[in-house]
Amino acid sequence: GKTIEAGLILAQKWAEGKRHLLVICPAPLRQQWSNELEEKFGLPSLIMTSDSYRLRLKNNDSLNPFETVTDPKIVLCSYEYASSRDKNLATINWDLVVFDEAHRLRNVYKGMVTATRLKNALIDVPKILLTATPLQNNLMELYGLVSIIDDDFFGSEIGYKDYYTKNPTINSIGLMQKCPTHGLYSLIGEYGNDQYHCIKCVEESMG
């Protein structure tokens, strides 16, 4: 179900002429993704591996192998390989990145290498996270997953921990505030000044 939904979005992007599309998934699912995209949506794809990377580099040594403008295809690669080529990923203006089995990223707040590299390489890129098991009894994992999409949404890690993990029985209504300017959430009084409602307000006040 979630693969089909993501495929529909990829198909729409393709119809709009977007050609910088990337799917990061567990290695065993790469071929399945390729088959689904071709059979259900008629979308071409390229499974990026060490061999295909070297072949594309050999054919054009000035080309970033992840760049497919001259040979339009949706790039598919594993988490491990994408992480190892994070510098290549960071140089491309991706139109959309889909993370399948995205719960693999939930411990990014702990500094997990693979998740941190991917987060930093794709920090300003539109993303879709697909997962059937986002949490394993730890609300910090939700903080980690959401930070992949928007690093400021829940405010500071300290504020999130203080409220959600140390006070699990407190109703969030009345203690959390939504910034009227930026739409981000934070603890009331977290930034010590009524005019600062989120981290963005603080950053802007500092010029």
Side-chain angles (χ1 to χ4, degrees):
K2 54 188 173 63
T3 304
I4 298 301
E5 290 177 356
L8 288 169
I9 297 172
L10 288 166
Q12 177 61 36
K13 292 292 185 182
W14 191 270
E16 293 171 0
K18 308 296 186 183
R19 294 297 182 264
H20 288 133
L21 304 171
L22 172 66
V23 175
I24 299 176
C25 62
L29 299 183
R30 293 172 300 181
Q31 189 60 56
Q32 179 181 326
W33 264 96
S34 181
N35 294 343
E36 293 275 346
L37 291 174
E38 175 62 35
E39 294 170 7
K40 292 186 169 58
F41 303 100
L43 298 174
S45 61
L46 165 67
I47 297 178
M48 188 66 74
T49 63
S50 297
D51 289 341
S52 59
Y53 182 94
R54 285 193 295 268
L55 179 61
R56 291 172 66 80
L57 201 60
K58 180 180 178 180
N59 291 340
N60 188 343
D61 58 10
S62 65
L63 174 72
N64 178 343
F66 283 86
E67 178 59 77
T68 61
V69 168
T70 58
D71 181 24
K73 292 179 181 178
I74 297 174
V75 180
L76 311 174
C77 65
S78 69
Y79 278 90
E80 293 75 18
Y81 195 71
S83 173
S84 72
R85 297 295 180 184
D86 58 323
K87 291 181 175 57
N88 290 105
L89 296 181
T91 65
I92 294 177
N93 293 321
W94 297 101
D95 297 305
L96 180 67
V97 175
V98 175
F99 290 97
D100 193 13
E101 304 296 335
H103 50 270
R104 291 175 173 236
L105 303 172
R106 61 189 167 202
N107 288 322
V108 65
Y109 70 96
K110 294 181 178 179
M112 189 178 75
V113 174
T114 295
T116 300
R117 283 181 177 175
L118 292 175
K119 177 181 177 180
N120 292 338
L122 303 168
I123 196 164
D124 293 321
V125 173
K127 307 175 189 73
I128 294 175
L129 274 59
L130 307 177
T131 177
T133 54
L135 304 179
Q136 290 188 333
N137 301 318
N138 185 347
L139 283 175
M140 286 307 299
E141 294 172 352
L142 177 62
Y143 180 89
L145 279 179
V146 172
S147 75
I148 297 293
I149 297 175
D150 185 344
D151 217 9
D152 297 321
F153 185 81
F154 280 126
S156 70
E157 182 177 341
I158 292 175
Y160 182 89
K161 282 181 178 178
D162 283 344
Y163 179 69
Y164 285 104
T165 65
K166 294 183 181 178
N167 301 288
T169 61
I170 298 177
N171 190 328
S172 63
I173 298 175
L175 290 182
M176 296 295 287
Q177 64 181 356
K178 182 177 181 180
C179 175
T181 304
H182 304 101
L184 304 178
Y185 288 87
S186 66
L187 287 171
I188 293 176
E190 180 178 351
Y191 298 103
N193 191 317
D194 290 340
Q195 66 179 324
Y196 300 147
H197 301 291
C198 71
I199 186 62
K200 291 283 189 183
C201 294
V202 177
E203 291 173 351
E204 289 177 0
S205 72
M206 299 172 66

